[in-house]
Amino acid sequence: MTKTNLYKKTFTLLLILLFLSLNAQNIKGFKPENVQKQLDLETAFESKISTANLDSWMKKMAARPHYVGTEYGKELAEWMLKQFKSWGYDAKIETYQVLFPYPKVRVLELTEPTTYKAKLTAVPVEGDAYTAQGDELLPSYNAFSTDGEVESELVFVNYGIPADYEALDKLGIDVKGKIVIAKYYGSWRGIKPKLAAEKGAIGCIIYSDPKDDGYVTGDVYPKGAFKNKTGVQRGSVMDMPLYPGDVLTPGYGATPEAERLNRKDAPTITKIPVLPISYEDAQPLLEALGGPVAPDAWRGGLPITYHIGPGPAKVHLKLEFDWQLKPAYNVIATLTGSEFPDEWVLRGNHHDAWVHGAADPVSGMVALMEEARAVGELAKKGQRPRRTLVYCAWDAEEPGLIGSTEWVEHHKGELQEKAVAYINTDGNGRGFFNVGGSHTLQTMVSEVAEVVTDPQKGVSIKERKIARDMVNGGDDKFELYALGSGSDYTPFIQHAGIASLNLGFGGENAGGEYHTIYDTYSHYKRFKDPEFEYGAALSKTAGRIVLRLANADILPFNFDPLRETIATYLEEVMKSCESMRKEVEKHNKLIEENAFYLAADPAKPFVRPEKKENIPYLDFTPIQNSMMDLEATIAKFNAIKLNSLSDKQLEALNKQLMHSELALTNASGLPRRSWYKHQIYAPGFYTGYGVKTLPGVREAIEQKEWQEAREQIKILAQTLNKLDDHIESLCSIPSK
Ligand SMILES: [Zn+2]
């Protein structure tokens, strides 16, 4: 070997070593010497996940209807309890007594100008025996509609959201004293009767239009996955944006001895009767409407000309419910941590369904169970997590997040002390990784998504998600969406201030079975995730997240993505204020120039619009200054060297770090809904599941409550200062 050759070889070797050291995986929260051990554990965990278990458990759990209060629901809770115990968990059932209405009388008929009696029944289909279980199938209804009997003229209100009522105002159409018919979609269903009642309507009918959910979207069941003409979406219309959970015990657990509101005083039961129907039942009603032709965007896929009314169609609606307290069975399975038993990583999915619920919620529930089984098996072999894991199977989610909410309310103090984070899943299917939640967890989730493989394309689930986003005009950033509501994370994050995530796969599992008698094992196997590969991917993803939170040297929270995300929300709110101002200026100018009148068709109804109040300038500087301070404090925290900390210091740091989300809450809650404590994320008062970020400020502006907006700006700035103080206190730990 020549000397130059030796130099060359040494140089190449050095380059390789440098390359290897740069590529040594770095995972958030772990000291370099512990990284490989954790990754090996995760690989061992993944190798234990079996799709055969997911398949056979779904077949069992979705065999019969199991809504809250059913014998089969109880049987499943007891079966899950046994399973968790056999996997080494300390498991129990925690029961709450919750109000649940069962439909006793459902009558809907057209009484003028022709007559039609709604069938209100979905038909069994060939090839799916589950749909032929007769009386055991829960009749279609909207839970927490009030009892009532009304008869009046009908008005078609499109989706029944605020913008639709503005359009009706322009046409001079009032729903006062009328019964409205609204399409599903456009908002969470509970908003439709809430808004209709606020506008003076006396009844509300909701139907699935084939354009959104039926033969226009695809072939209908059983030929295809979509809603046939008899399918009806059940669902809760409880006013969850006010507070979710048992309607009689707001803010505290529905234990047998708890004091209960009188049902008449429960503010989350609807003010007017509301009933969901199929498009087969909706067509004769819509066809009988007169009045103006509905605007383009309102028209659905039925072979009729859509009119708005009111009348001459007149309908009679009669609803009566059996209001009973039913036991809700939450299965709670604990695996005590080997080093930090009082630091809890919580993981949950609901087990109750409207009918069979193969997709919603069983597909997520069985993935959680398989994950828990694999983690339990590793623990039995000596690889017990350092922190405690709590696996939860919630009951009564469907009628209003009841099981999880009562449990969180009942154990709130202990949870706020011990919870590190809550990881939620619900229905799952073939497609892309979707994840929302606390932005402090974004970095950790992104790292996990880099190492879980997409079963169809062989790349990481992160790469596939980003590819889809970019193809659809998005960017290449991996970001968590903000949580509104719609599943069991709500009590954890928005009420108790516990960092939370909601994850699942989907996008290639479209169908119309949601909350109908068609959400069965047969439907799932044909259209959702036939080989349970995405069920397994969900077990793997959630399991890795749980194991990282459970074993990290320092809890993997990162404040940078949180601050950056809040900054984008703030910018949005400020911009929306500006565009509201410009809109009002333009509107008022058009009125001064008589433009609305001149542009209107004299053959159509016309209501002269009124001038709008000018939008004042708001002072956002308190929030901007808090954000500036926060940036500096976060940089100081990020400069702490993990390796320089003793075990004692790490422990002290984690004890504080786990309470970071709590700093984003305010004890008095949001205006008009004090149950919601979180100041960054909340479900919208008029959007339901849809999130409102910086909800206090944003909703005050949207509702044009200027004094309230000024107060909420102050409160938000104080909340951000509280977070700043919290991070400042974390920075002082290493010097102790
Ligand atoms: Zn669900």
Side-chain angles (χ1 to χ4, degrees), residues 411-642:
H411 299 286
K412 191 174 167 191
E414 188 176 18
L415 284 169
Q416 286 179 332
E417 194 189 315
K418 296 180 178 171
V420 167
Y422 171 70
I423 319 301
N424 189 71
T425 53
D426 201 324
N428 192 63
R430 194 167 66 86
F432 304 91
F433 183 42
N434 282 310
V435 54
S438 304
H439 287 87
T440 45
L441 294 171
Q442 182 167 294
T443 308
M444 183 268 292
V445 175
S446 168
E447 288 177 355
V448 166
E450 271 166 30
V451 291
V452 176
T453 306
D454 178 89
Q456 296 177 120
K457 295 290 166 97
V459 296
S460 76
I461 58 172
K462 178 176 171 180
E463 199 176 337
R464 187 152 196 248
K465 172 189 165 63
I466 288 175
R468 194 262 323 249
D469 289 350
M470 290 200 300
V471 165
N472 292 326
D475 57 26
D476 61 353
K477 285 195 199 114
F478 180 91
E479 284 169 342
L480 303 185
Y481 64 82
L483 294 179
S485 190
S487 195
D488 295 302
Y489 51 79
T490 279
F492 287 91
I493 183 164
Q494 285 147 356
H495 184 62
I498 294 163
S500 298
L501 293 171
N502 185 47
L503 41 138
F505 290 87
E508 294 172 334
N509 58 340
E513 81 296 337
Y514 174 68
H515 292 184
T516 71
I517 66 163
Y518 305 120
D519 184 5
T520 60
Y521 177 79
S522 311
H523 187 284
Y524 194 86
K525 284 287 281 183
R526 285 179 62 199
F527 304 112
K528 296 286 163 173
D529 181 17
E531 303 304 321
F532 289 90
E533 288 175 320
Y534 281 90
L538 184 61
S539 302
K540 291 172 183 177
T541 313
R544 281 184 185 258
I545 289 173
V546 163
L547 290 172
R548 288 197 187 178
L549 286 162
N551 292 332
D553 295 305
I554 181 165
L555 291 169
F557 290 106
N558 183 358
F559 295 108
D560 279 326
L562 173 67
R563 187 193 57 79
E564 285 157 18
T565 308
I566 295 175
T568 63
Y569 296 157
L570 179 61
E571 206 174 303
E572 258 171 45
V573 167
M574 290 165 68
K575 270 196 193 141
S576 84
C577 235
E578 267 318 297
S579 57
M580 275 171 83
R581 177 174 305 112
K582 290 207 177 102
E583 236 170 74
V584 168
E585 279 166 9
K586 186 179 168 199
H587 174 91
N588 289 348
K589 190 161 172 260
L590 290 177
I591 286 180
E592 276 160 27
E593 291 168 0
N594 207 21
F596 289 110
Y597 170 74
L598 296 176
D601 178 348
K604 287 185 178 166
F606 174 71
V607 180
R608 203 174 280 273
E610 304 215 345
K611 269 197 169 187
K612 290 181 181 169
E613 187 196 340
N614 281 325
I615 306 292
Y617 285 89
L618 292 173
D619 178 12
F620 291 97
T621 53
I623 306 177
Q624 290 167 309
N625 287 323
S626 303
M627 290 295 287
M628 195 170 65
D629 293 345
L630 200 53
E631 184 167 10
T633 313
I634 292 171
K636 200 164 129 191
F637 175 73
N638 290 345
I640 298 173
K641 296 264 184 294
L642 181 54

Side-chain angles (χ1 to χ4, degrees), residues 350 360 397-398 426:
H350 69 99
D360 177 10
E397 186 267 1
E398 292 295 1
D426 201 324

Side-chain angles (χ1 to χ4, degrees), residues 24 47 72 79 132 135 216 274 309 327 359 440 507 648 668 694 707:
S47 73
Y72 197 56
W79 172 74
D135 284 351
V216 180
V274 47
T440 45
K648 247 200 152 123
S668 35
L694 314 185
Q707 192 44 39

Side-chain angles (χ1 to χ4, degrees), residues 31 33-34 339-340 343 386-387 552-554 641-655 733-734 736:
K31 290 181 177 176
E33 63 266 32
N34 291 334
E339 292 179 48
F340 307 110
E343 294 177 17
R386 299 172 76 208
R387 297 186 177 85
D553 295 305
I554 181 165
K641 296 264 184 294
L642 181 54
N643 269 356
S644 69
L645 301 180
S646 68
D647 286 352
K648 247 200 152 123
Q649 284 171 323
L650 277 175
E651 209 181 317
L653 195 56
N654 284 330
K655 278 259 170 294
I733 289 173
K736 280 178 191 158

